[in-house]
Amino acid sequence: MKLGSLSRGVLGCALAFGLAFAGVGPSAQAASNVTLTVWSYGNVFEPKIVDMYRKAHPNVTIKITKMNLDDEHNKLLYALPSRAVPDIAAVEMAYMGQFRQPMIAAQFTNLNTLGASKIAKDYLPFRWTQGTGLNGSQIGIPTDVGGLAVAYRTDLFKKAGFPTKRDQVAALWPTWDRFITVGKQFQNKVPGVGFMDSTGTLFAAVLNQGTQKYYDSKTRAAIYRTNPTVKQAFDIAAKAGCTFMKNNKCAGSIGTKINQFSPDWGAAMNKGAFATVLAPAWMLDYIKQQAPGTKGKWDIAAVPGGGGNMGGSMLTIPKKAANVKAAWDFVSWYLAPAQQLKTFQLYGLFPTTHKMYSQPSIKNYKDPFFNNAPVGAIYSSSALKLKPIYAGAKDRLIDSTFGQALARITQGTQTKSCGKFAAQTSGAAWCQALQDIQHNIGQ
Amino acid sequence: MTTATTATVPRRRRRLSAIARQDRVGLFYVAPFFVHFVLFGAIPIVFTTALAFFNADFQTYYDFITTHQLSVLTNAFAGLENFRELFKDSYFWLALRNTFSIWLISTVPQLVIAFGLASLLANARLRASTFWRTVLMVPNITSVLAVAIVFQQLFGRDFGIVNVLLHYVGQKPVEWVAGTIPSHAAIATMINWRWLGYNSLIFLAAILAIPKELYESASLDGASRWQTVRYVTIPQMKNTITFMLVMGTIGGLGLFVEPLTYGGGFDGGANSQFLTMTLYLYKQAFMNQRLGYGAAIGVGITLVVMVISAINFMITRRIAGEESK
């Protein structure tokens, strides 16, 4: 469930990604009438920006159909070999592993044939690679990069007697273990306030700092049970999710029991019920929208391990799309450096076009909502530290199953014993998660 | 049909062709239903049932659709394998239990309260009865998603109104999502809220259709209020009750949108505490891409519905039997 909410966060990333227009230049397109059909989820496409494109291209009609995240991807999977495909489809990172499988990737337009290879150098290499099919064709262009940092409440940190300056705060937690220790200290000093909003978010944060997740990048075999990074990420999130037991039930964690993006989450943020949020760049806009009254009370520090990434989407064009050329014209415009820069300035979504990171407009960008934190510098250094991570066919399902296990630990609902592990232990939750994944994916 | 037999008898032919013409017009009128049924009812049912015997996933689908080789299908044939797995699948049985639990918590109180509301509405002295009837229907026309969002707020663990009220009367917060029975109760509340008015109106229509004479003769016979309900109202509403039970069974056992939106995912909660049968079908067929196994779950759900319908049928027969008393 926690990871379920992660994916919604990712969806929110899509939401935030959007605004993207700089001078809409005249296009070389012929002026015949075209209707572009687009499948999307969340707010991948910001209506106002799409309108800007429409104004510059009066001959192009853009019809966007928004669906539930999972529904959109499932519908796309089965529509791809047929003619019932859209001209443009947004694909979320958790699903990219599935769509990159050679047989499926072959059903997308190889964007290199339209000129994608010429713009490849503009984009972060690891995000670009995520859009390359296993058959070698380029099936997607990356939208934004999450990066990862910790947004923290300076007022609550002060209450706990902690330093409030961002460099000193980052120095508190060089490792994830230290992060948990700091969380325990915080909760002892400020009772009733959670150190984090949701400890389940730690899982993806730690996992994405590695180079492999659930599948081996070379053999493509399932390695979720043997990959040490998976176990490490699970153990850290489990340790944070249950700091001590009472009456054989988890009685403490360094987070609240609130799921991200639930109605309770917004309420808790306004009331200052938690002190930190693991924040990809797109999360900042969420905080501003959910709790406008907390302006100036936040600051942003580096995450343990330095780098990190959560979320992001790809824009793809199915092979059987009716208007491949016009679709490419729109996609390449929408994700061009100039538009991504505007998106960042207006919505805080971090560009995937890394050449711009050294420009003053990003390098020197400070956000007053977050106590003038150098948001541009923080997220660009986080994004540049990342290596490509191999996404596998059933990442979404496996993410979700581990999320369930972590939620069981925090909620104290791990009622089943498993293997040699007794009920209510994190060992049993891990063991049951492995069984559930094996039960579902059969390997 | 008629042409072959009437070829040698010209007189009859004219008469029959008039009937045949009428038949054709009739067929034209009913055709939309049958076309719709065949396309969206019969074909999917046959297809799903057949699919349940295959070990098919999206790979099979892609292979077949790109190569058009029949061998793709014959290689994927699995016989009864999916059903054997289904029988041993603890998650399917868990989903069955959850579905029944939510169905019971939602159906039983709902029918009782709906009957009570209908009796109130049937009262001739009630003022502005049309207004009350309209009010009852409002929840039913509200979008399920909107209902889900509102109920998520009501049942929020930390800041939800229900737990806040419980706090004021000195109760501990209830785990409306993490707990098994609390989550079932919350989902059932969502269903009850939406369908109570609809069911009340169906009951109301049935109550108003009962001839007044029956009540008069009952009161002449000295029947008490309860006896009147027991031996006049309920037997007279036999068909309505059957209808409600059948619709309730189909709706209840096909429970999908409410648990999906309530928990925000296809898992039905961290401990699968509100995973329903159709949610499990969705998870296996579309999140896990096991189309064949998903189809087998669908066949399993159909069998369960058939068993329940048989039980319904027996209950209805009992009510019908009492009618003659």
Side-chain angles (χ1 to χ4, degrees):
Chain A
M1 300 241 322
K2 293 259 163 74
L3 280 187
S5 61
L6 158 72
S7 70
R8 277 211 261 168
V10 156
L11 197 143
C13 127
L15 163 144
F17 154 73
L19 242 199
F21 73 94
V24 179
S27 161
Q29 284 286 301
S32 58
N33 285 335
V34 179
T35 300
L36 286 179
T37 51
V38 182
W39 286 0
S40 174
Y41 48 84
N43 289 359
V44 176
F45 298 95
E46 195 65 37
K48 278 185 195 163
I49 308 314
V50 179
D51 281 347
M52 295 309 295
Y53 187 84
R54 285 186 183 122
K55 260 180 207 148
H57 303 79
N59 60 314
V60 180
T61 312
I62 300 173
K63 267 174 66 183
I64 298 175
T65 312
K66 259 203 255 175
M67 288 169 254
N68 162 298
L69 177 86
D70 293 319
D71 289 348
E72 194 246 6
H73 292 90
N74 289 327
K75 198 174 166 189
L76 181 63
L77 179 64
Y78 292 102
L80 273 177
S82 74
R83 287 190 186 283
V85 285
D87 292 311
I88 298 167
V91 175
E92 212 278 320
M93 274 318 302
Y95 276 99
M96 219 39 219
Q98 186 180 61
F99 286 100
R100 287 176 72 201
Q101 302 299 311
M103 197 174 18
I104 306 174
Q107 301 294 330
F108 286 101
T109 303
N110 182 356
L111 301 176
N112 283 335
T113 61
L114 299 169
S117 46
K118 280 182 220 134
I119 57 168
K121 60 179 187 329
D122 293 341
Y123 293 80
L124 279 172
F126 89 93
R127 283 287 278 133
W128 187 262
T129 323
Q130 284 169 336
T132 312
L134 296 177
N135 61 348
S137 76
Q138 189 66 29
I139 61 173
I141 307 294
T143 58
D144 66 310
V145 61
L148 195 65
V150 184
Y152 64 98
R153 289 279 296 256
T154 48
D155 54 334
L156 296 173
F157 268 48
K158 203 177 216 169
K159 230 185 202 174
F162 285 2
T164 54
K165 290 222 169 85
R166 56 189 80 95
D167 294 337
Q168 291 171 334
V169 167
L172 288 177
W173 51 62
T175 62
W176 290 108
D177 273 330
R178 283 292 305 158
F179 186 79
I180 296 172
T181 315
V182 170
K184 285 185 194 165
Q185 288 167 355
F186 176 89
Q187 294 200 171
N188 286 335
K189 287 181 180 150
V190 192
V193 175
F195 179 63
M196 296 182 74
D197 57 340
S198 169
T199 53
T201 55
L202 285 168
F203 180 68
V206 181
L207 192 54
N208 285 341
Q209 285 182 339
T211 50
Q212 293 191 121
K213 277 176 82 175
Y214 311 129
Y215 294 87
D216 189 286
S217 57
K218 292 198 183 72
T219 64
R220 292 171 204 172
I223 52 161
Y224 61 91
R225 58 176 73 231
T226 50
N227 182 0
T229 317
V230 177
K231 185 73 168 80
Q232 188 206 354
F234 188 89
D235 286 345
I236 287 168
K239 200 172 148 196
C242 186
T243 46
F244 67 94
M245 307 267 289
K246 206 166 107 187
N247 300 333
N248 197 27
K249 255 200 155 183
C250 181
S253 89
I254 63 161
T256 66
K257 285 191 182 178
I258 297 164
N259 284 332
Q260 282 192 328
F261 309 104
S262 69
D264 263 7
W265 186 64
M269 205 185 286
N270 275 303
K271 294 196 167 105
F274 48 78
T276 66
V277 178
L278 288 185
W282 49 263
M283 183 65 93
L284 304 185
D285 199 48
Y286 257 94
I287 296 174
K288 288 179 197 169
Q289 282 172 13
Q290 295 276 342
T294 58
K295 184 180 179 180
K297 290 179 182 168
W298 294 90
D299 207 323
I300 296 166
V303 82
N309 185 41
M310 278 189 188
S313 296
M314 294 275 170
L315 296 188
T316 66
I317 303 173
K319 190 169 237 166
K320 295 209 166 80
N323 305 294
V324 172
K325 282 251 163 64
W328 171 248
D329 187 66
F330 176 69
V331 168
S332 54
W333 172 84
Y334 208 75
L335 299 177
Q339 275 69 253
Q340 289 213 33
L341 178 63
K342 267 284 186 254
T343 308
F344 171 67
Q345 286 166 343
L346 291 165
Y347 279 78
L349 288 174
F350 215 70
T352 40
T353 43
H354 66 297
K355 287 275 163 65
M356 303 173 342
Y357 291 178
S358 52
Q359 285 180 17
S361 48
I362 287 190
K363 207 171 72 181
N364 301 333
Y365 181 78
K366 295 187 167 79
D367 194 329
F369 193 97
F370 295 91
N371 202 17
N372 283 320
V375 171
I378 291 174
Y379 285 101
S380 51
S381 85
S382 171
L384 287 171
K385 272 187 193 137
L386 281 171
K387 287 154 258 159
I389 186 161
Y390 178 76
K394 286 188 178 170
D395 276 11
R396 171 89 174 108
L397 191 69
I398 302 175
D399 274 344
S400 162
T401 313
F402 278 126
Q404 278 185 296
L406 289 166
R408 283 197 299 273
I409 295 172
T410 310
Q411 293 169 353
T413 51
Q414 179 59 46
T415 46
K416 277 186 221 159
S417 62
C418 181
K420 58 180 183 186
F421 302 101
Q424 301 296 2
T425 59
S426 62
W430 165 261
C431 165
Q432 193 189 324
L434 294 189
Q435 283 180 0
D436 286 349
I437 295 167
Q438 159 98 39
H439 167 87
N440 284 325
I441 73 170
Q443 46 178 323
Chain B
M1 277 202 303
T2 49
T3 44
T5 47
T6 54
T8 51
V9 194
R11 269 184 161 195
R12 266 188 74 201
R13 181 173 152 196
R14 197 176 291 160
R15 243 182 62 212
L16 275 178
S17 61
I19 293 167
R21 212 178 302 132
Q22 248 182 345
D23 284 354
R24 247 174 261 139
V25 173
L27 274 177
F28 178 75
Y29 283 129
V30 296
F33 167 77
F34 280 103
V35 170
H36 184 271
F37 174 75
V38 168
L39 282 180
F40 300 106
I43 292 178
I45 289 170
V46 172
F47 182 75
T48 308
T49 313
L51 192 61
F53 293 92
F54 287 87
N55 185 11
D57 59 4
F58 73 87
Q59 211 125 6
T60 325
Y61 171 77
Y62 270 75
D63 281 345
F64 182 67
I65 215 149
T66 47
T67 63
H68 298 286
Q69 294 283 315
L70 262 181
S71 61
V72 173
L73 294 186
T74 48
N75 288 343
F77 187 74
L80 290 171
E81 210 178 284
N82 285 331
F83 292 100
R84 258 182 240 125
E85 187 183 338
L86 184 66
F87 196 74
K88 284 187 290 186
D89 188 343
S90 59
Y91 279 97
F92 177 71
W93 297 108
L94 174 68
L96 182 68
R97 283 200 302 277
N98 287 340
T99 311
F100 267 102
S101 166
I102 299 173
W103 178 55
L104 275 180
I105 305 179
S106 62
T107 306
V108 176
Q110 191 183 161
L111 291 188
V112 173
I113 299 171
F115 188 76
L117 278 176
S119 310
L120 283 178
L121 282 176
N123 192 325
R125 280 181 298 176
L126 181 77
R127 293 198 176 197
S129 61
T130 314
F131 170 74
W132 293 118
R133 287 171 201 182
T134 316
V135 165
L136 277 179
M137 275 310 280
V138 171
N140 201 245
I141 55 167
T142 312
S143 130
V144 193
L145 272 178
V147 176
I149 290 168
V150 171
F151 274 78
Q152 270 187 338
Q153 288 187 339
L154 291 179
F155 288 108
R157 183 187 169 276
D158 294 78
F159 300 99
I161 294 173
V162 178
N163 274 356
V164 169
L165 290 178
L166 285 175
H167 175 75
Y168 277 122
V169 294
Q171 296 294 312
K172 276 188 184 167
V174 175
E175 297 276 1
W176 290 114
V177 177
T180 304
I181 295 299
S183 65
H184 291 187
I187 292 169
T189 312
M190 211 188 298
I191 300 164
N192 287 345
W193 184 80
R194 270 193 88 217
W195 291 98
L196 193 61
Y198 174 83
N199 286 337
S200 303
L201 289 193
I202 303 261
F203 270 138
L204 177 65
I207 291 176
L208 293 179
I210 299 172
K212 293 242 168 7
E213 293 81 3
L214 288 176
Y215 288 107
E216 281 163 16
S217 54
S219 70
L220 280 178
D221 287 345
S224 70
R225 211 189 154 91
W226 167 242
Q227 281 171 322
T228 315
V229 172
R230 179 79 180 77
Y231 296 107
V232 179
T233 314
I234 292 180
Q236 284 292 317
M237 288 168 64
K238 184 193 76 182
N239 289 334
T240 309
I241 293 172
T242 313
F243 170 77
M244 309 265 273
L245 278 175
V246 171
M247 295 310 283
T249 310
I250 294 169
L253 298 182
L255 193 61
F256 179 70
V257 187
E258 284 87 353
L260 180 75
T261 46
Y262 182 68
F266 48 83
D267 292 315
N271 218 359
S272 306
Q273 67 269 29
F274 49 92
L275 179 76
T276 60
M277 290 192 291
T278 40
L279 211 51
Y280 191 53
L281 187 159
Y282 177 80
K283 184 174 175 175
Q284 286 298 345
F286 297 110
M287 297 312 302
N288 199 21
Q289 310 302 351
R290 290 189 63 195
L291 299 172
Y293 192 54
I297 297 173
V299 172
I301 295 175
T302 312
L303 292 177
V304 171
V305 173
M306 279 162 76
V307 169
I308 303 297
S309 298
I311 297 172
N312 279 346
F313 180 69
M314 287 191 290
I315 294 174
T316 323
R317 272 231 318 222
R318 251 195 83 200
I319 297 174
E322 277 160 2
E323 193 184 11
S324 57
K325 272 182 198 168

